[in-house]
Amino acid sequence: MARGRGGMPGGMNINNLMKQAQKMQQQMEKAQSELETKELEITSGGGAVKVLINGKKVIKQLTINKDVVDPDDVEMLEDLVMSAVNEAIRQVEELSNNEMGKLTGGMGMPGMF
């Protein structure tokens, strides 16, 4: 079996591999920081409920149109809020997965982000 200068089969150099890993880690940290500053606005009920969420999955603002506040139908309002919040979280996760996937080449890296 052929050994490269780094002592690894196939001519791979362990130092180059480590440099590449460090570079990828720095890129991932930068991408994560950029994601955390992004904000998404999600609506439900045709705009009756709006959620502003950031890349850290922190809800920054929740707006409810006063026209949908019906004391006799609180369940509908609860459903609209829940729908908007769940969709906001889903979209932040999708954005994060897409951005990180660009760096990892689609490789699954559980627990990394």
Side-chain angles (χ1 to χ4, degrees), residues 18 24 35 37 41 59 88 96 100 102 104 109 113:
M18 292 299 292
M24 180 186 245
L35 278 170
T37 64
E41 183 177 275
I59 295 178
S96 178
M100 293 302 169
K102 291 177 188 175
T104 63
M109 301 182 95
F113 40 86

mmCIF file of all heavy atoms in Angstrom, residues 18 24 35 37 41 59 88 96 100 102 104 109 113:
data_model
loop_
_atom_site.group_PDB
_atom_site.id
_atom_site.type_symbol
_atom_site.label_atom_id
_atom_site.label_comp_id
_atom_site.label_asym_id
_atom_site.label_seq_id
_atom_site.Cartn_x
_atom_site.Cartn_y
_atom_site.Cartn_z
ATOM 1 N N MET A 18 -6.016 18.215 8.253
ATOM 2 C CA MET A 18 -6.321 19.016 9.442
ATOM 3 C C MET A 18 -6.600 20.472 9.064
ATOM 4 O O MET A 18 -7.512 21.092 9.607
ATOM 5 C CB MET A 18 -5.175 18.944 10.455
ATOM 6 C CG MET A 18 -5.014 17.576 11.093
ATOM 7 S SD MET A 18 -6.462 17.050 12.013
ATOM 8 C CE MET A 18 -6.424 18.194 13.367
ATOM 9 N N MET A 24 -13.012 24.386 7.266
ATOM 10 C CA MET A 24 -14.438 24.086 7.212
ATOM 11 C C MET A 24 -15.118 24.500 8.521
ATOM 12 O O MET A 24 -16.212 25.065 8.500
ATOM 13 C CB MET A 24 -14.682 22.603 6.955
ATOM 14 C CG MET A 24 -16.148 22.231 6.883
ATOM 15 S SD MET A 24 -16.390 20.462 6.742
ATOM 16 C CE MET A 24 -17.109 20.377 5.132
ATOM 17 N N LEU A 35 -26.432 33.223 10.100
ATOM 18 C CA LEU A 35 -27.800 32.711 10.224
ATOM 19 C C LEU A 35 -28.496 33.291 11.446
ATOM 20 O O LEU A 35 -29.685 33.614 11.397
ATOM 21 C CB LEU A 35 -27.795 31.183 10.345
ATOM 22 C CG LEU A 35 -27.695 30.400 9.062
ATOM 23 C CD1 LEU A 35 -27.458 28.923 9.369
ATOM 24 C CD2 LEU A 35 -28.944 30.563 8.222
ATOM 25 N N THR A 37 -28.277 36.109 12.721
ATOM 26 C CA THR A 37 -28.688 37.503 12.551
ATOM 27 C C THR A 37 -29.864 37.650 11.583
ATOM 28 O O THR A 37 -30.475 38.709 11.525
ATOM 29 C CB THR A 37 -27.524 38.379 12.045
ATOM 30 O OG1 THR A 37 -27.137 37.943 10.735
ATOM 31 C CG2 THR A 37 -26.336 38.320 12.990
ATOM 32 N N GLU A 41 -40.187 36.564 8.594
ATOM 33 C CA GLU A 41 -41.543 36.916 9.004
ATOM 34 C C GLU A 41 -42.490 35.900 8.388
ATOM 35 O O GLU A 41 -42.516 35.722 7.172
ATOM 36 C CB GLU A 41 -41.914 38.326 8.543
ATOM 37 C CG GLU A 41 -43.304 38.736 9.033
ATOM 38 C CD GLU A 41 -43.668 40.158 8.644
ATOM 39 O OE1 GLU A 41 -43.294 41.072 9.387
ATOM 40 O OE2 GLU A 41 -44.311 40.313 7.585
ATOM 41 N N ILE A 59 -38.364 34.050 18.975
ATOM 42 C CA ILE A 59 -39.442 34.864 18.426
ATOM 43 C C ILE A 59 -39.225 36.290 18.908
ATOM 44 O O ILE A 59 -39.185 36.558 20.101
ATOM 45 C CB ILE A 59 -40.813 34.321 18.839
ATOM 46 C CG1 ILE A 59 -40.990 32.951 18.195
ATOM 47 C CG2 ILE A 59 -41.926 35.286 18.429
ATOM 48 C CD1 ILE A 59 -42.262 32.248 18.516
ATOM 49 N N ALA A 88 -42.723 29.081 11.421
ATOM 50 C CA ALA A 88 -41.521 29.912 11.588
ATOM 51 C C ALA A 88 -40.335 29.046 12.001
ATOM 52 O O ALA A 88 -39.239 29.170 11.431
ATOM 53 C CB ALA A 88 -41.780 31.007 12.628
ATOM 54 N N SER A 96 -31.308 26.947 7.946
ATOM 55 C CA SER A 96 -30.060 26.501 8.565
ATOM 56 C C SER A 96 -29.508 25.263 7.868
ATOM 57 O O SER A 96 -28.325 25.205 7.535
ATOM 58 C CB SER A 96 -30.288 26.211 10.043
ATOM 59 O OG SER A 96 -29.109 25.730 10.647
ATOM 60 N N MET A 100 -25.925 25.268 5.885
ATOM 61 C CA MET A 100 -24.863 24.371 6.355
ATOM 62 C C MET A 100 -24.593 23.267 5.341
ATOM 63 O O MET A 100 -23.456 22.821 5.189
ATOM 64 C CB MET A 100 -25.217 23.774 7.714
ATOM 65 C CG MET A 100 -25.240 24.794 8.818
ATOM 66 S SD MET A 100 -23.640 25.630 8.964
ATOM 67 C CE MET A 100 -24.076 26.939 10.061
ATOM 68 N N LYS A 102 -24.541 23.569 2.214
ATOM 69 C CA LYS A 102 -23.638 24.117 1.201
ATOM 70 C C LYS A 102 -22.186 23.913 1.612
ATOM 71 O O LYS A 102 -21.324 23.679 0.792
ATOM 72 C CB LYS A 102 -23.903 25.612 0.985
ATOM 73 C CG LYS A 102 -25.214 25.923 0.325
ATOM 74 C CD LYS A 102 -25.408 27.419 0.233
ATOM 75 C CE LYS A 102 -26.795 27.800 -0.243
ATOM 76 N NZ LYS A 102 -27.001 29.250 -0.219
ATOM 77 N N THR A 104 -21.057 21.576 3.914
ATOM 78 C CA THR A 104 -20.705 20.170 4.152
ATOM 79 C C THR A 104 -20.907 19.307 2.915
ATOM 80 O O THR A 104 -20.647 18.106 2.969
ATOM 81 C CB THR A 104 -21.541 19.598 5.318
ATOM 82 O OG1 THR A 104 -22.925 19.619 4.940
ATOM 83 C CG2 THR A 104 -21.315 20.376 6.588
ATOM 84 N N MET A 109 -24.134 15.871 9.344
ATOM 85 C CA MET A 109 -23.234 16.021 10.485
ATOM 86 C C MET A 109 -24.080 16.302 11.719
ATOM 87 O O MET A 109 -24.197 17.436 12.143
ATOM 88 C CB MET A 109 -22.226 17.143 10.234
ATOM 89 C CG MET A 109 -21.384 16.904 8.986
ATOM 90 S SD MET A 109 -20.186 18.179 8.718
ATOM 91 C CE MET A 109 -18.775 17.437 9.514
ATOM 92 N N PHE A 113 -25.033 21.634 14.177
ATOM 93 C CA PHE A 113 -25.769 22.901 14.160
ATOM 94 C C PHE A 113 -27.212 22.658 14.414
ATOM 95 O O PHE A 113 -27.773 21.674 14.329
ATOM 96 C CB PHE A 113 -25.573 23.671 12.855
ATOM 97 C CG PHE A 113 -25.556 22.819 11.622
ATOM 98 C CD1 PHE A 113 -26.719 22.463 10.964
ATOM 99 C CD2 PHE A 113 -24.350 22.345 11.143
ATOM 100 C CE1 PHE A 113 -26.688 21.680 9.841
ATOM 101 C CE2 PHE A 113 -24.320 21.545 10.013
ATOM 102 C CZ PHE A 113 -25.476 21.215 9.368
#
